[in-house]
Amino acid sequence: MGKTIVITGAGDGLGRALARRFAADGETVVLLGRTLAKVEAVAAELGDAHLALQCDVGNPDSVRTAFATIAARHPKIDVLINNAAVYEPFTLAEVRDEQIMASLATNFAGPIFCAREALPLLRGDGHIINVSSESVSLKMPMLWMYAGGKAAVELMSELWARELEEDGVRVTTVQAGMMMDETKTGSNWPIDVSMRFAQENAKIGLNLRERGISHYNSVTDVFRAVLDMPADLHIGTVALSARKRAAAPA
């Protein structure tokens, strides 16, 4: 019997790669995304068994509506993957109100809203996976808001794991490194922001051009392994970093 897996931020990036991977594995995927056309396009690619829903994870009413629709079709789900996030560098002096609120809503409140609404459907051998970032440990300049939100999610994950044990719900954090695929050629940040971000990181010894970049498809293998672990095991945190592959010998 296949699993029913809900993935936020499933319209592109890692979320889309996870949806494709799990659908290919025979699981049923529910794709949530702020832009309905994106998740509908992925769901159409995957087939009729899969469901695409518009959902702004930072809006509690949007989350409630999405999970009510999910519950009507799937009274039990096996996995919630909190993947949706916004990612933007800035300094404390220049950060705008809307940037602060967007980061707090999507990166911090979003996983809470989704996990709360998913919990009745997850009780009894369900699994919550919260996607975090290596920026938590690297402490990259200009990413303090993003990394701070992810650090908070990591702490929450540990406490949720303890709280939800009696409900039969496991909670895992996957801390991911830099990732890309063939459709992603770079950030959509203004060029001056990208340059300053690179320069500030270089000052602390992080040369972004020399860091490894993993493929989204490679990262999906880790999520597959987490979901397939025996029922008598728990994985609290998986820390991933991209490996810079050596050039092939001439």
Side-chain angles (χ1 to χ4, degrees):
M1 185 91 177
K3 297 180 183 294
T4 299
I5 302 174
V6 179
I7 304 171
T8 71
D12 56 21
L14 177 61
R16 178 174 59 191
L18 288 167
R20 287 170 171 167
R21 168 62 186 269
F22 290 133
D25 289 346
E27 319 292 10
T28 300
V29 181
V30 179
L31 304 94
L32 302 185
R34 187 159 44 189
T35 304
L36 181 58
K38 284 187 176 182
V39 287
E40 284 183 332
V42 180
E45 169 194 330
L46 302 182
D48 292 340
H50 311 285
L51 176 64
L53 296 173
Q54 192 280 332
C55 181
D56 177 355
V57 301
N59 181 321
D61 290 332
S62 180
V63 173
R64 271 189 283 268
T65 298
F67 276 89
T69 303
I70 293 169
R73 182 160 171 175
H74 300 288
K76 176 80 171 72
I77 64 173
D78 300 285
V79 186
L80 166 67
I81 301 178
N82 280 314
N83 166 71
V86 293
Y87 177 82
E88 187 178 7
F90 38 67
T91 66
L92 178 60
E94 69 192 13
V95 62
R96 303 188 305 273
D97 292 350
E98 61 268 24
Q99 291 173 311
I100 296 171
M101 299 311 296
S103 185
L104 286 172
T106 301
N107 300 348
F108 179 61
I112 301 173
F113 293 147
C114 291
R116 180 182 65 183
E117 299 306 316
L119 184 56
L121 310 178
L122 286 166
R123 287 193 175 101
D125 205 28
H127 203 148
I128 298 171
I129 300 180
N130 292 323
V131 179
S132 185
S133 164
E134 68 176 358
S135 63
V136 173
S137 54
L138 291 178
K139 297 177 174 60
M140 303 171 80
M142 297 180 69
L143 275 189
W144 51 270
M145 187 92 206
Y146 175 74
K150 291 298 189 181
V153 168
E154 290 189 10
L155 176 59
M156 286 194 310
S157 297
E158 293 182 25
L159 298 178
W160 287 357
R162 183 189 303 164
E163 179 181 316
L164 300 179
E165 186 172 7
E166 291 186 1
D167 289 307
V169 178
R170 292 185 282 189
V171 184
T172 299
T173 298
V174 176
Q175 191 183 83
M178 292 177 64
M179 299 172 284
M180 271 193 184
D181 67 7
E182 294 75 15
T183 67
K184 185 175 179 182
T185 57
S187 76
N188 58 359
W189 305 330
I191 186 64
D192 62 313
V193 173
S194 295
M195 290 179 64
R196 281 198 299 130
F197 180 60
Q199 291 164 356
E200 292 302 315
N201 277 275
K203 290 178 183 178
I204 65 165
L206 289 176
N207 188 327
L208 301 184
R209 292 187 175 183
E210 294 182 354
R211 293 186 60 78
I213 300 177
S214 58
H215 196 286
Y216 290 125
N217 292 342
S218 300
V219 179
T220 68
D221 287 344
V222 175
F223 285 79
R224 180 76 264 175
V226 169
L227 295 190
D228 289 344
M229 65 182 172
D232 60 344
L233 292 178
H234 174 69
I235 298 177
T237 302
V238 179
L240 307 176
S241 58
R243 179 184 176 210
K244 186 173 182 181
R245 299 176 66 181

